[in-house]
Each structure stands twice: as structure tokens, then as C-alpha cells.
Amino acid sequence: MKNPAPTPASVLPAGVPAWLTPLELGLLAGVWGASFLFQRVAAPEFGAAPLVELRLAFGALVLLPFLWLARAKLPWRLWPRLALVSAINTAVPFTLFAWGAQRAPAGVGAITNAMAVLFTALVAFLFFRERIALRKWIALAVGFLGVVVLASDKTGGGDIGPAAAAGTFAAFLYGIGANLVPRWFAGLPPVAVAAATLVCASLLTLPFALAQWPAQPISAPAWGSAVAVGVLSTGWAYAMYYRLISRVGAARAVTVTYLVPLAAVAWAWGLLGEALTWPMGIACGLILGSVAISQRSR
């Protein structure tokens, strides 16, 4: 999603304690990391499209007040572009991650999700003629090596390669969205834009969700996970993220990317008993290391 003008990370508004930002970053990482746990619980019972529809609908409900307050700033001529971005940056990636959650441990999606930072730079180079420094080319190579290692893992005798591929393509779509949003919606309230894309994505996904709605009863844990991934990991998390960006700047807020895979693996290990295999650990180190390289200042 589009980031507002950065605020210097060293400058905090008067009255904001220094410990608040690390605390909020930790909370945000925990909630975003838990989204992969929630999907792992709910996706096998709901299926990908119905789960994504619930996630989008509940997330949109949380952010609708922001959209209502900014409705005058979002004229109808913008909505076709909002719909396109919602498909690229929300509906399809969410579906890919939910599909992967049916087939692989929660940590797989979280680890591949971190590639979005690298894909943002790659898409900017391929389609918008932005230069990529040598260190970012190195970071891309290291990150893709991490994906290869992850895809080669065999967990419980199963092949998690398809789930890793789905997560990687979802991260690539996030990279496209991250380039389109600031070019198309510059100057608009970012949380309102996020709300609008959730609404559009929900409408786009609805026919597929209805066609694939499960016939069997859904368990309480699956329903609870579906509500939680929508309300907490989508609606609340979006609002928290943009609040952080407005206060400490995009460069500092994006450091949450490093923490999300670790949180996801910890949640899955603690609550689902999913083990962290050596290939997952190596892939996580390679991908997070590549993100760290790409984010270094010149």
C-alpha cells in the first residue's frame, strides 16, 4: 500500500515515549505473523476463496470509518484503478497465501511474504525504469536462493514447493501493487485507500467464495481464525501500520518485515506444533538477510 511522506525516524512527536514504537512494531509483527497461523487453521475447512472473502469483509468493516471520512477525496473516476489494484495487491495474493496454507506449514507463507520488499525494487526496475544498485541485485539473488532452498524442503514427507511458489508469486504481486499505489493515489489518505481496496477486493472475490462455500459445518476454531485474520491481521494491522508510518516514517516502519516470519514460525510452533526444519531456517535467514542488504543505506 501507499506510504505517506516519510517522517525522520529520529524525530518523534512531543509526548511520545521512546519505547512506544518498538512495542507497536512488535505487536504488529505478532499480529501479522499470526495471520499465517489463522489461515493454517481456517483454510483447510473453508477453502481459499471463502476464507479470503471473510478476511476481506471483516477487514473492510474495521476500516470503513476511514473510508467514509475521506469519501470526498475518492471520486468515482478513481474506482476502476482502485479495483485493479485491489485485485493485484489484495484479492489474488490473499488467495494464494490461503491456498498455500492448505498445503504447507504456516512459516512457509510468512517466509516467502518477506520477498515483497525485493520484488518492489525489481518491478520498479522492469516496468518503471528505476535503477537498482548492485547490492539490491545481490539481495535478489540471495532471496531467490532462499526460495529455492525453501521449495526443496520435505515436511512430513510432503512437497511444499507449490505453496512456496504460490507465496513467492503473491509477494511479486505485492511488489507490483507497491509501485502502482504511490503513482496512482499520491496525496490520498492511505488508510482510506487501503479500505477502498479491501471493499473492492471483497466484491471481486464474492462470486468465487459463494461458488466454493463449504457444504460441511465449520468448526468454532476455524470460524474464530477467519474472524481474527480479518479483524486483527487485516483491518487493525493496516490501521496500525499506517499510524506508524505517519509517526516514524516508512523506512523505520518497514523493519516489521524482518519480524513477521519469526513471529509466524513461533506462533505455529507454539500453538500448532509445527516444527522449524533446517531448510526453513536456512531459507528464512537467506531471505531476511537479502531484505536487510536491500534496505541498507548507500
Side-chain angles (χ1 to χ4, degrees), residues 18-49:
W19 53 263
L20 182 60
T21 296
L23 175 63
E24 291 182 339
L25 284 170
L27 286 173
L28 182 59
V31 170
W32 265 340
S35 71
F36 297 94
L37 165 73
F38 295 141
Q39 292 178 90
R40 182 65 171 154
V41 172
E45 294 192 42
F46 278 103

Side-chain angles (χ1 to χ4, degrees), residues 270-286:
L271 297 181
L272 299 181
E274 292 184 351
L276 175 63
T277 65
W278 277 108
M280 286 176 63
I282 294 170
C284 186
L286 288 170

Side-chain angles (χ1 to χ4, degrees), residues 60-276:
L61 286 175
V62 173
L63 297 184
L64 273 180
F66 298 98
L67 179 58
W68 177 257
L69 291 173
R71 63 191 184 281
K73 298 180 180 180
L74 297 175
W76 286 111
R77 60 180 174 80
L78 288 179
W79 284 85
R81 286 188 170 186
L82 284 167
L84 177 60
V85 168
S86 74
I88 295 172
N89 201 48
T90 308
V92 178
F94 280 12
T95 303
L96 289 169
F97 280 122
W99 182 87
Q102 296 175 270
R103 294 162 173 80
V108 173
I111 292 169
T112 55
N113 180 71
M115 288 288 292
V117 176
L118 304 177
F119 281 129
T120 299
L122 180 61
V123 170
F125 169 77
L126 293 175
F127 300 106
F128 299 103
R129 299 182 180 180
E130 293 188 13
R131 294 182 59 190
I132 295 185
L134 177 59
R135 73 177 187 283
K136 289 196 173 183
W137 283 115
I138 295 173
L140 282 165
V142 174
F144 282 120
L145 177 60
V147 172
V148 171
V149 172
L150 183 63
S152 68
D153 190 16
K154 305 288 184 182
T155 301
D159 181 9
I160 66 173
T168 302
F169 185 58
F172 176 72
L173 293 176
Y174 282 153
I176 296 176
N179 279 277
L180 291 179
V181 170
R183 288 170 170 83
W184 285 358
F185 309 121
L188 298 176
V191 182
V193 172
T197 57
L198 288 179
V199 170
C200 290
S202 178
L203 294 175
L204 291 172
T205 308
L206 182 59
F208 302 97
L210 292 176
Q212 300 173 31
W213 196 265
Q216 73 279 7
I218 304 299
S219 69
W223 268 112
S225 295
V227 173
V229 76
V231 173
L232 293 178
S233 301
T234 306
W236 180 87
Y238 270 55
M240 171 66 75
Y241 184 57
Y242 288 116
R243 180 173 178 268
L244 276 167
I245 288 173
S246 66
R247 195 177 74 233
V248 303
R252 190 171 181 187
V254 80
T255 58
V256 72
T257 303
Y258 303 105
L259 304 175
V260 171
L262 305 179
V265 170
W267 282 118
W269 172 75
L271 297 181
L272 299 181
E274 292 184 351
L276 175 63

